[in-house]
Amino acid sequence: KSAERRERETHEVLSAVLDQSPDSVLVTNLNGEYTLVNTIAASRFGKSLDDILGKTATSLFSEQDALHRQQLDRSIIATGDATTFEESLTIGGRHMTMLTTKAPFLDSHGKTVGLITMSRDVSELSAARQTLFLRSEELESSNSELEQFAYIASHDLQEPLRKISTF
């Protein structure tokens, strides 16, 4: 009886962690069907959990994005290697930059039974990085212009001094 209680408590804690996570968490089986989706993931897609569970990427993404995801998922399952990457997505009409990690989902015997996907919205960070890059380019251009101006000004100021020194 206490083993059942511990298992129920563990399940409750894990459910709370998933639902309170700021990251999207999705688990698919080997057929690519979503078997677990947390609340934030469903919210980002603008769908209910029931609208996602049992469906595949084609129900959430454009045909091209779904095909790309399915190919990547098959590669991860085949190699057994987790991968982390940044991706730009348009979900529910909103453009987002996500830092996504995909890893094989293993059963208790170490056999791959699906795929775990965790995604963090890094849109603000990505926008800040882009702004920083643009400002850096502007600063480099401005510095180059200042260097040219300083060279010309220095040359122009030295010319009268050369004439004075020849007297």
Side-chain angles (χ1 to χ4, degrees):
K1 188 171 180 177
S2 80
E4 279 181 24
R5 191 186 84 229
R6 279 195 307 270
E7 187 175 326
R8 187 179 67 248
E9 288 172 354
T10 300
H11 182 271
E12 289 172 3
V13 167
L14 290 175
S15 292
V17 167
L18 276 176
D19 284 339
Q20 294 173 28
S21 171
D23 299 337
S24 297
V25 179
L26 302 103
V27 177
T28 56
N29 61 23
L30 292 176
N31 296 322
E33 299 165 331
Y34 295 104
T35 58
L36 183 141
V37 178
N38 71 345
T39 310
I40 192 73
S43 172
R44 284 190 176 133
F45 287 111
K47 297 184 178 279
S48 72
L49 295 174
D50 290 335
D51 288 338
I52 299 173
L53 292 172
K55 307 286 187 338
T56 64
T58 56
S59 67
L60 298 177
F61 300 97
S62 70
E63 186 177 330
Q64 183 180 357
D65 286 344
L67 181 61
H68 173 72
R69 289 181 165 297
Q70 291 165 340
Q71 289 171 340
L72 178 60
D73 293 354
R74 282 193 293 271
S75 172
I76 292 167
I77 289 169
T79 64
D81 295 331
T83 186
T84 300
F85 55 95
E86 196 170 283
E87 60 183 335
S88 293
L89 300 169
T90 301
I91 301 174
R94 181 173 169 240
H95 178 74
M96 298 189 322
T97 302
M98 306 295 284
L99 182 62
T100 299
T101 298
K102 289 180 171 269
F105 179 46
L106 308 176
D107 67 10
S108 59
H109 303 290
K111 180 181 175 195
T112 301
V113 294
L115 192 76
I116 301 169
T117 302
M118 297 165 283
S119 297
R120 173 166 289 183
D121 184 354
V122 293
S123 299
E124 289 180 18
L125 179 62
S126 180
R129 189 173 44 225
Q130 181 65 23
T131 299
L132 183 61
F133 175 75
L134 292 173
R135 296 291 187 263
S136 175
E137 283 187 332
E138 290 171 5
L139 186 58
E140 283 181 31
S141 176
S142 177
N143 281 346
S144 178
E145 290 171 12
L146 284 172
E147 284 176 9
Q148 287 177 338
F149 173 77
Y151 175 78
I152 292 168
S154 172
H155 183 269
D156 289 350
L157 289 173
Q158 288 177 7
E159 185 60 28
L161 292 175
R162 274 190 287 250
K163 287 186 179 183
I164 291 171
S165 68
T166 59
F167 281 109

